[in-house]
Amino acid sequence: MKAFKINNNITKYIIGSSVDQVTTNAINIEGDPIDEFKLLYFTIDKNKIIIKLNKSDAVYGLGATVRGINKRGWIYESFCTDDPIHTENKTSLNWAHNFILINGEKQFGIFIDHASKIKYDIAYTQNNTITITLDSNSFIIYVIEDTNTKNIVCSFRKLIGTSYIPPKWAFGYQQSRWGYKSLSEIQQVVEKFEKHQLPIDVINLDIDHMDNCKIFTTDPENFDNVDNIISELKQKNIKLLPIIDAAVKIDENYNIFNEGTENNYFCVDSDKNPYVAACWPGKVNLPDFVNPKVQEWFGRKLKFYTNKGIDGFWLDMNEPSIFYTPKELNKVIDLIIKLKDEDIDTDKFFAVKDSLYNLLSNPKYYSEFYNYDGKEYIRHNLVHNIYGMLMIQSVYKGLEKIDSNKRFLIFARSSCIGAHRYGGLWTGDNRSWWSHLLLNIKMMPSLNMCGFLYTGADIGGFSDNATEDLVIRWTQFGIFTPLFRNHSAKGTRHQEPYEFENIQIFKEAITMRYALLKFIYSEYMKSALSNQMYFSPLSFDYSHDKYAKTVEDQLIIGNSIMIAPIYTQNSIGRYVYLPENMLFLSFTSWNKYKFEVKKLGHNYIDVDIDSIPIFVLPNKMLVLNQPALSTKKIDDTILFIICFIKDIAVYELYDDDGETKKSININNIDLRIEISKIDEQIDWNIEKSNSCKINKINITVFSDKGFIKQIKEEI
Ligand code: GLC
């Protein structure tokens, strides 16, 4: 065992032999060797890390998983799995985000840099113990110490590098559905958005756009005219965003398959033949993203789309997802044939049912094939959790070669920490369930801790039929998530906003997002560039408030506002917990709201189906802009600010061109607004940068006593 000092806050431990390490490459710092060291906060027992907890310690982190923000009381496994049913009995979903944060008498973070399976028993087997089990005795741990949870996350995020920054248009509304089967169907979607004056920036192209699900192809019949439609829609400020799956269809008349085969670009079985799995197109080979040459090759292929004018990608099935292998499927078929004329009793029936069910994402596949890292073959399960990240990285780097200064939109399904630098993430195949709206709320801060900021869930739920009220409430929460996309599965009830009776409610909610655009972009950029949380649990800001620590259905955004979404059916309001007095705003339209100062403690708020609750924190401001039908059309000249003043409030609005990487700079503060209150006297000071286009500001000031002043300024 060796220890290294990374800096004053961070210690790295190499446990076991460093030769056997397969790491994620999330961190590339050696650190200074420490001669005499002790293990901080944990002990090691062979392949186990043991951490003792106090009764009231909360455990955060692990990115997108089932259950709560506080992970105490369950087993979680990091082993990227395509599981389309995110119920609370599950242990592994699509991700491997190996950062945990202990918040109690002692506060510290732990990052395990390891590319294969890790099991976290978080006070499940033993009340006050975390036992982390790895599949080897050799691994690397980083311990991150700091003064509070926010600073621990900040130190960790600094260590793993700046989070991915999308273009500004990526903060607009995205409409998606698996099953838009032709370009004319997509044009009809656009027409309906236009007819109802619903803002939109992006329409996603799911697997339907490909020729038999072959990646880097388009369906010659139904998507033949795609180049023209891309430029036609660009005129309307709508972008098409295609999906790219990881696997390559086995088909001798398919150039990608032939290139991959000729160059040995696919994962291989123990005889060094390309490993045959199955996914959407039927039998497939898996590009070996561990091989740097394959990464480059895949990255170059993106020109297929960028030459058509495509500016963003949605990456999928990169766990890698395996529906079945022909070998295992044949075993099941043989079993069924054998039973054909038999009187099938319960045991046999369930044997057949389970063997079919167990074909999808069976973990045993991952020990049957190998990756080549340029030097040697590695059994896939040792690198399983980095496969998804490597696909994202190859796309990011490929696009960098195509245009090094342009910000492309990239978001993906499976990943480990490290991928947060190359793209965003959507939370996979959720369901049109109220519990999954709540799960979406809980996943957001956990992902932020692990560096993933550009995130969101399938609004309305992916599988199963959605009800109107669910899609409304989910959209009303979704207006705050950086990735704001309504997506659903083939065969389910259509859930585009215009499919329901109350289109106006959807229109108000989506328009509200466009009115929040400058604020959301500013909060996002500041969080990304200073390694802060965009969504925090209450306990991060109110660490000494015992009750705040238990609240998991309210989130702080940046450090200005708190949201308390509705996530139960037929509800007309909800209880909220306020750690201090806050200004409660209930918006029925972006420029129409009721207000009330709510006092510290438990409060009930009315939230009718058409209203969006927002709380402004003391000495903070909410910034609204004039909305538009697309992000490009947002009026940059006027701002509407709502301030809840105690004594002095400052808001700094970040902005840049939203398109280039060069324009990104933490010092790009377009506007600085300072409002102060001495006795009942309100003063204000506004400073703007040279490039700032804002020339009118409308500030509404509230204090504990309610409304106090309206300020209209030409600046
Ligand atoms: C996967 C994705 C889903 C997509 C579907 C078809 O299930 O998670 O979003 O619609 O594949 O491509």
Side-chain angles (χ1 to χ4, degrees):
M1 190 183 315
K2 291 182 197 142
F4 300 82
K5 203 94 234 132
I6 302 293
N7 60 33
N8 278 343
N9 305 341
I10 302 172
T11 314
K12 169 180 174 180
Y13 297 92
I14 299 185
I15 316 288
S17 141
S18 51
V19 189
D20 301 335
Q21 312 291 351
V22 186
T23 60
T24 61
N25 273 335
I27 302 166
N28 282 315
I29 306 173
E30 273 286 309
D32 299 322
I34 314 173
D35 297 335
E36 277 179 34
F37 61 88
K38 57 177 179 99
L39 297 178
L40 293 166
Y41 310 113
F42 64 92
T43 54
I44 296 283
D45 179 7
K46 295 193 189 93
N47 63 338
K48 290 188 178 2
I49 305 166
I50 294 146
I51 301 170
K52 288 283 169 204
L53 293 174
N54 288 313
K55 207 172 127 222
S56 62
D57 291 353
V59 182
Y60 301 134
L62 294 183
T65 61
V66 297
R67 299 196 172 223
I69 296 177
N70 184 351
K71 299 288 165 211
R72 245 189 123 127
W74 192 239
I75 289 178
Y76 300 87
E77 278 175 310
S78 286
F79 195 70
C80 300
T81 305
D82 176 8
D83 186 334
I85 312 178
H86 300 181
T87 39
E88 65 180 87
N89 56 329
K90 297 297 167 67
T91 50
S92 331
L93 298 185
N94 313 65
W95 304 275
H97 299 151
N98 294 310
F99 172 68
I100 58 169
L101 170 51
I102 286 69
N103 177 19
E105 274 164 43
K106 290 185 203 128
Q107 298 186 322
F108 58 94
I110 294 232
F111 172 60
I112 306 170
D113 190 359
H114 194 65
S116 56
K117 191 176 196 158
I118 306 179
K119 178 173 161 191
Y120 298 83
D121 177 334
I122 304 188
Y124 169 78
T125 306
Q126 277 177 287
N127 256 330
N128 293 322
T129 307
I130 300 180
T131 307
I132 305 172
T133 311
L134 291 99
D135 58 358
S136 127
N137 294 355
S138 300
F139 45 89
I140 296 179
I141 315 178
Y142 292 82
V143 174
I144 301 107
E145 300 174 282
D146 217 313
T147 44
N148 57 43
T149 47
K150 277 197 150 177
N151 291 340
I152 293 168
V153 168
C154 182
S155 295
F156 173 60
R157 296 254 307 272
K158 224 188 228 165
L159 181 71
I160 56 173
T162 308
S163 299
Y164 161 75
I165 293 175
K168 204 186 267 179
W169 57 263
F171 292 84
Y173 179 82
Q174 301 191 34
Q175 185 61 56
S176 184
R177 181 170 171 87
W178 169 23
Y180 289 149
K181 54 186 178 309
S182 64
L183 281 171
S184 59
E185 190 168 345
I186 290 197
Q187 281 169 310
Q188 284 163 23
V189 174
V190 174
E191 277 161 27
K192 290 187 194 143
F193 271 83
E194 284 173 340
K195 177 172 162 214
H196 297 290
Q197 296 276 290
L198 291 158
I200 184 165
D201 269 71
V202 183
I203 298 187
N204 290 213
L205 295 179
D206 206 325
I207 48 173
D208 321 82
H209 85 279
M210 291 184 262
D211 175 13
N212 282 311
C213 297
K214 287 186 272 187
I215 56 170
F216 305 114
T217 68
T218 47
D219 175 358
E221 251 176 61
N222 296 315
F223 287 82
D224 59 332
N225 197 17
V226 73
D227 298 33
N228 290 339
I229 303 294
I230 291 167
S231 52
E232 201 178 281
L233 290 183
K234 266 204 177 158
Q235 303 301 314
K236 300 184 175 194
N237 297 312
I238 296 175
K239 295 186 188 270
L240 290 184
L241 186 117
I243 195 168
I244 304 180
D245 288 343
V248 172
K249 183 172 173 64
I250 299 180
D251 176 346
E252 280 165 12
N253 298 315
Y254 171 33
N255 64 330
I256 305 286
F257 168 74
N258 289 332
E259 282 176 39
T261 311
E262 280 155 25
N263 294 295
N264 301 322
Y265 284 166
F266 298 129
C267 300
V268 294
D269 61 20
S270 51
D271 295 326
K272 305 265 184 336
N273 294 318
Y275 181 72
V276 182
C279 201
W280 297 122
K283 285 184 196 167
V284 294
N285 289 148
L286 300 167
D288 186 357
F289 290 106
V290 173
N291 182 343
K293 284 195 181 143
V294 177
Q295 286 204 33
E296 270 174 49
W297 169 68
F298 202 87
R300 279 199 304 277
K301 293 294 152 202
L302 297 163
K303 284 201 186 119
F304 172 78
Y305 286 112
T306 54
N307 288 344
K308 297 180 189 298
I310 292 289
D311 301 322
F313 300 93
W314 158 30
L315 312 178
D316 195 17
M317 313 309 279
N318 59 337
E319 288 74 19
S321 172
I322 297 179
F323 290 176
Y324 62 87
T325 59
K327 200 172 87 193
E328 290 304 312
L329 180 64
N330 284 339
K331 282 192 200 159
V332 179
I333 293 172
D334 288 348
L335 174 69
I336 294 173
I337 292 172
K338 203 175 122 213
L339 294 175
K340 189 166 173 269
D341 297 318
E342 275 188 35
D343 179 4
I344 296 174
D345 62 12
T346 316
D347 287 350
K348 283 181 188 148
F349 172 73
F350 282 101
V352 171
K353 182 183 154 285
D354 290 347
S355 57
L356 267 173
Y357 183 83
N358 291 336
L359 284 174
L360 177 71
S361 305
N362 194 322
K364 87 173 192 199
Y365 304 144
Y366 301 114
S367 55
E368 285 175 358
F369 63 94
Y370 295 80
N371 294 78
Y372 181 69
D373 67 359
K375 290 189 215 105
E376 57 179 344
Y377 286 93
I378 307 166
R379 195 185 277 271
H380 175 79
N381 54 3
L382 295 179
V383 290
H384 178 68
N385 286 339
I386 60 174
Y387 184 91
M389 181 273 288
L390 292 173
M391 178 187 181
I392 308 169
Q393 177 180 289
S394 88
V395 167
Y396 182 88
K397 296 211 160 148
L399 292 171
E400 213 168 35
K401 286 200 180 123
I402 291 169
D403 186 340
S404 60
N405 191 25
K406 179 168 166 161
R407 290 192 234 166
F408 288 91
L409 173 54
I410 305 169
F411 61 89
R413 195 166 71 181
S414 183
S415 60
C416 63
I417 292 176
H420 70 286
R421 299 188 291 249
Y422 309 120
L425 167 164
W426 99 100
T427 59
D429 294 345
N430 60 6
R431 305 231 152 198
S432 296
W433 296 345
W434 291 90
S435 59
H436 277 186
L437 166 52
L438 178 58
L439 186 62
N440 181 187
I441 298 167
K442 293 180 180 184
M443 279 180 173
M444 295 293 102
S446 310
L447 279 163
N448 283 191
M449 293 173 205
C450 299
F452 294 90
L453 294 189
Y454 187 76
T455 57
D458 288 348
I459 290 170
F462 173 68
S463 306
D464 296 331
N465 292 333
T467 58
E468 179 182 61
D469 53 352
L470 176 70
V471 189
I472 289 177
R473 296 300 198 184
W474 210 322
T475 308
Q476 290 167 338
F477 167 63
I479 67 169
F480 300 102
T481 60
L483 168 60
F484 181 37
R485 181 180 80 146
N486 174 317
H487 178 53
S488 55
K490 201 173 181 170
T492 61
R493 180 184 188 182
H494 270 266
Q495 61 189 42
E496 295 81 357
Y498 51 74
E499 291 290 339
F500 297 105
E501 275 174 51
N502 286 305
I503 302 175
Q504 188 60 24
I505 299 183
F506 284 98
K507 188 173 162 179
E508 295 295 357
I510 301 172
T511 304
M512 182 73 189
R513 162 62 166 232
Y514 281 71
L516 285 165
L517 205 98
K518 278 180 160 292
F519 175 74
I520 286 178
Y521 187 68
S522 169
E523 291 308 308
Y524 184 92
M525 294 303 286
K526 289 187 289 186
S527 312
L529 298 175
S530 55
N531 301 306
Q532 301 290 333
M533 307 276 284
Y534 171 88
F535 280 123
S536 314
L538 260 51
S539 61
F540 272 45
D541 288 84
Y542 301 97
S543 49
H544 300 297
D545 185 324
K546 225 166 111 184
Y547 191 80
K549 203 166 167 180
T550 66
V551 176
E552 299 215 342
D553 58 357
Q554 302 169 208
L555 298 174
I556 308 269
I557 298 182
N559 58 14
S560 308
I561 61 169
M562 183 184 81
I563 57 166
I566 295 288
Y567 54 87
T568 48
Q569 190 158 27
N570 301 318
S571 138
I572 50 165
R574 57 163 287 175
Y575 282 93
V576 283
Y577 175 69
L578 304 190
E580 57 184 328
N581 293 358
M582 290 185 191
L583 174 66
F584 168 53
L585 304 169
S586 173
F587 286 88
T588 42
S589 183
W590 78 274
N591 54 3
K592 201 166 149 224
Y593 61 87
K594 287 191 198 136
F595 66 86
E596 194 185 334
V597 175
K598 291 279 183 191
K599 300 278 179 225
L600 174 154
H602 295 272
N603 286 266
Y604 183 82
I605 53 165
D606 292 320
V607 191
D608 283 340
I609 189 79
D610 62 350
S611 51
I612 299 173
I614 298 180
F615 294 83
V616 184
L617 272 51
N619 282 337
K620 300 291 175 192
M621 300 179 209
L622 173 68
V623 179
L624 295 159
N625 54 266
Q626 185 96 39
L629 291 178
S630 100
T631 51
K632 211 166 181 183
K633 293 281 176 203
I634 294 289
D635 179 353
D636 273 333
T637 63
I638 177 159
L639 285 187
F640 304 87
I641 291 166
I642 300 169
C643 176
F644 183 43
I645 191 83
K646 215 160 136 187
D647 40 42
I648 182 155
V650 175
Y651 188 78
E652 294 190 320
L653 184 77
Y654 175 96
D655 208 1
D656 59 26
D657 70 19
E659 286 176 12
T660 63
K661 291 183 187 159
K662 277 194 191 128
S663 72
I664 300 169
N665 186 330
I666 184 75
N667 298 319
N668 284 341
I669 300 302
D670 220 26
L671 197 75
R672 183 179 186 279
I673 307 156
E674 185 173 321
I675 301 175
S676 58
K677 174 173 164 287
I678 303 171
D679 300 328
E680 292 312 300
Q681 171 78 28
I682 299 291
D683 280 316
W684 63 96
N685 180 40
I686 298 166
E687 287 165 35
K688 62 179 205 173
S689 72
N690 293 336
S691 56
C692 178
K693 297 196 198 102
I694 297 157
N695 54 38
K696 269 197 207 122
I697 296 218
N698 191 331
I699 310 175
T700 314
V701 187
F702 297 87
S703 77
D704 256 349
K705 294 193 181 131
F707 170 78
I708 38 175
K709 194 177 180 76
Q710 186 84 34
I711 304 167
K712 286 192 179 167
E713 278 267 295
E714 306 261 327
I715 56 166

